[in-house]
Amino acid sequence: MTEMTEELAAETAVPASQAGLPPILMHRGFLLLMLGCFAAFLGEQLTTVALPWLVLKLSNDSLALGTVVAVMALPKILFLVVAGVLVDRHSPRTVLICASAGGMVLLAGVGVMLMYDLLALWMMYLFACGMGLAGAFAIPARVAILPRLIDPRQLQPANAILMGITQVSLLGGPLLAGLLAASTDGLGLVFLLNACCFLIATVTVPRLQPRAQPAPEHQAALLASIVPAAKWLWSDGVLRTLIGYWAVVTLLLAGPVQVGLPLWVDRQLGGGASAFGILIAANGLGQLIGIVFSGLRARKVVHLGVAVCVIDGLAGLAVFGMGFTHVLEVGLALMLAVGVGAGYVQVGLFTWIQRRIPTELHGRVLSILMLVLITIAPLSALLAGYLILYVTPSRLFMYGGLLLSLFAMLMLLHPKLRKLRN
């Protein structure tokens, strides 16, 4: 594994421009993918604001909100690895088109029912389940399509650009959703606009050059073909440790953000959907700033694993600080700070993972990685929804943030995480 890390570091050290490659923004397929990803991410951010506000409007129940989040994750837990197998066996393009089109139909249906006041809480569970199923197939397809579309030496700038436009959508989507949700029939308009975004994402998926797959892969049973990916993943000690670290961080952070934040805005600030959207947008702006600073630094002084632990520790302190304020401006500053740290490390982490996984295993290994995180997130949301029945959102932020900081600082001593290099 040490030799693998050294080879990957050597590969990373060769700039694409010195290899005679054209600029990534001149690649037509990448431009199409960039447009489709922007539309899809913008739509997802619209739903990030609209969905919890709609559930609270229909039920005013924190446990119902946590349950909807968990129901959306359930199909991903059940089908994500299967989707990864299909992505490796077939074209990720086909999988991504079908998933995006399915999400478009669901979003349009909810938007129309909202406009005519036909929506009930039980329908939200069905909607969440359907969107989770679409996401289960879209996630590994979208992640696996980039290494098959461009030269591997262009992954670093391509990832930086895609993550940059993700944060632009994270900045604009919540603001737009918050403004629309505050108007008459606003929530319905948000979901219809989201459907339009998914339509754009469907029609802009780029074509890929066909790639031959080993014959045994085609002959293997669907579930049996997951075994090689699982064995490879287990053999990589650094990546295995990183997954465990992410799982704990997700458990401590996902619930307070997904469930606690909208309730904090509603109950303790007395704000509405627009205030919630501004908070989410502040986090997106912070991530965009972090990505820019990460890209500007040609030489990394601190190893990637050390940076991840330190930044997560600081993020925990910021979340802890959220529990002590009832002022929107202070909350905005803290969400901005959390975003800057996340943006700073995520480009390097994502590129490191893409380069480390063998191309023929991309879909399956990535789906296993995401399955772990997607399984933990709804558990965190359910736990947060239950805890808020007994504690305030502020105390939830305090407990979650403090535990996150302590865990990150403890993991800073782990030798395998310290081996994770830029």
Side-chain angles (χ1 to χ4, degrees):
M1 288 306 162
T2 303
E3 293 177 357
M4 180 190 298
T5 304
E6 293 173 350
E7 291 172 1
L8 291 168
E11 180 186 352
T12 306
V14 181
S17 58
Q18 294 180 6
L21 297 172
I24 189 62
L25 289 177
M26 293 182 64
H27 193 296
R28 181 179 181 275
F30 177 74
L31 291 177
L32 284 174
L33 180 64
M34 186 172 66
L35 176 60
C37 286
F38 176 74
F41 294 145
L42 180 63
E44 289 172 2
Q45 295 311 314
L46 292 171
T47 304
T48 297
V49 174
L51 182 60
W53 223 254
L54 177 57
V55 173
L56 291 176
K57 178 182 175 182
L58 294 173
S59 67
N60 195 29
D61 183 359
S62 62
L63 190 56
L65 176 55
T67 304
V68 168
V69 173
V71 168
M72 185 177 289
L74 182 60
K76 297 178 184 178
I77 296 171
L78 296 177
F79 294 102
L80 192 59
V81 175
V82 174
V85 174
L86 294 178
V87 166
D88 282 337
R89 285 190 172 186
H90 307 288
S91 170
R93 180 177 186 269
T94 303
V95 176
L96 185 55
I97 289 174
C98 293
S100 300
M104 177 192 66
V105 172
L106 289 170
L107 289 162
V110 169
V112 170
M113 286 190 290
L114 266 174
M115 298 292 285
Y116 289 95
D117 199 22
L118 299 175
L119 203 64
L121 180 62
W122 65 269
M123 297 179 185
M124 295 310 301
Y125 297 114
L126 296 179
F127 167 76
C129 185
M131 288 301 294
L133 185 62
F137 287 88
I139 291 171
R142 189 178 291 125
V143 173
I145 202 171
L146 184 61
R148 302 189 190 187
L149 182 67
I150 63 174
D151 190 282
R153 290 164 292 180
Q154 293 178 312
L155 278 175
Q156 181 81 17
N159 280 324
I161 292 171
L162 289 180
M163 291 183 181
I165 65 170
T166 301
Q167 305 318 317
V168 171
S169 68
L170 187 57
L171 176 61
L175 288 175
L176 181 58
L179 292 174
L180 288 175
S183 64
T184 305
D185 295 327
L187 284 174
L189 292 174
V190 172
F191 281 95
L192 290 176
L193 180 59
N194 195 351
C196 293
C197 291
F198 270 63
L199 174 61
I200 296 173
T202 303
V203 300
T204 55
V205 180
R207 294 186 179 276
L208 299 174
Q209 292 295 328
R211 175 168 295 182
Q213 299 290 339
E217 279 293 89
H218 289 285
Q219 297 171 1
L222 185 67
L223 294 179
S225 62
I226 300 172
V227 175
K231 286 183 176 179
W232 182 91
L233 182 58
W234 185 257
S235 69
D236 191 321
V238 178
L239 190 53
R240 189 175 69 241
T241 302
L242 182 62
I243 297 171
Y245 174 82
W246 270 344
V248 177
V249 170
T250 302
L251 180 65
L252 296 174
L253 195 58
V257 171
Q258 292 176 332
V259 177
L261 191 60
L263 291 171
W264 181 75
V265 172
D266 184 41
R267 297 179 182 178
Q268 297 185 216
L269 294 187
S274 58
F276 179 55
I278 292 172
L279 280 168
I280 299 296
N283 183 261
L285 176 61
Q287 292 191 40
L288 181 59
I289 294 171
I291 288 172
V292 171
F293 276 105
S294 176
L296 290 176
R297 291 195 60 193
R299 182 174 180 267
K300 308 296 184 183
V301 178
V302 180
H303 287 172
L304 187 58
V306 175
V308 168
C309 293
V310 171
I311 287 174
D312 283 339
L314 295 175
L317 292 178
V319 173
F320 179 74
M322 292 278 290
F324 288 94
T325 182
H326 293 75
V327 180
L328 178 61
E329 289 76 12
V330 177
L332 288 173
L334 292 172
M335 290 294 287
L336 181 72
V338 171
V340 170
Y344 184 80
V345 297
Q346 66 180 334
V347 176
L349 272 177
F350 199 69
T351 303
W352 181 87
I353 291 172
Q354 282 180 319
R355 284 192 170 128
R356 199 170 184 88
I357 302 172
T359 303
E360 66 275 9
L361 297 176
H362 256 126
R364 282 164 289 176
V365 173
L366 288 170
S367 64
I368 294 172
L369 290 177
M370 293 175 186
L371 176 62
V372 174
L373 302 183
I374 290 172
T375 303
I376 298 298
L379 294 177
S380 179
L382 279 174
L383 180 61
Y386 176 76
L387 289 175
I388 285 183
L389 296 175
Y390 303 97
V391 300
T392 64
S394 291
R395 289 193 176 275
L396 186 66
F397 287 143
M398 292 179 193
Y399 299 151
L402 183 60
L403 288 174
L404 175 58
S405 291
L406 292 175
F407 173 72
M409 292 301 98
L410 181 64
M411 290 300 292
L412 189 59
L413 304 175
H414 199 290
K416 290 192 180 297
L417 276 185
R418 295 177 67 88
K419 289 181 181 178
L420 203 162
R421 303 188 179 188
N422 306 65

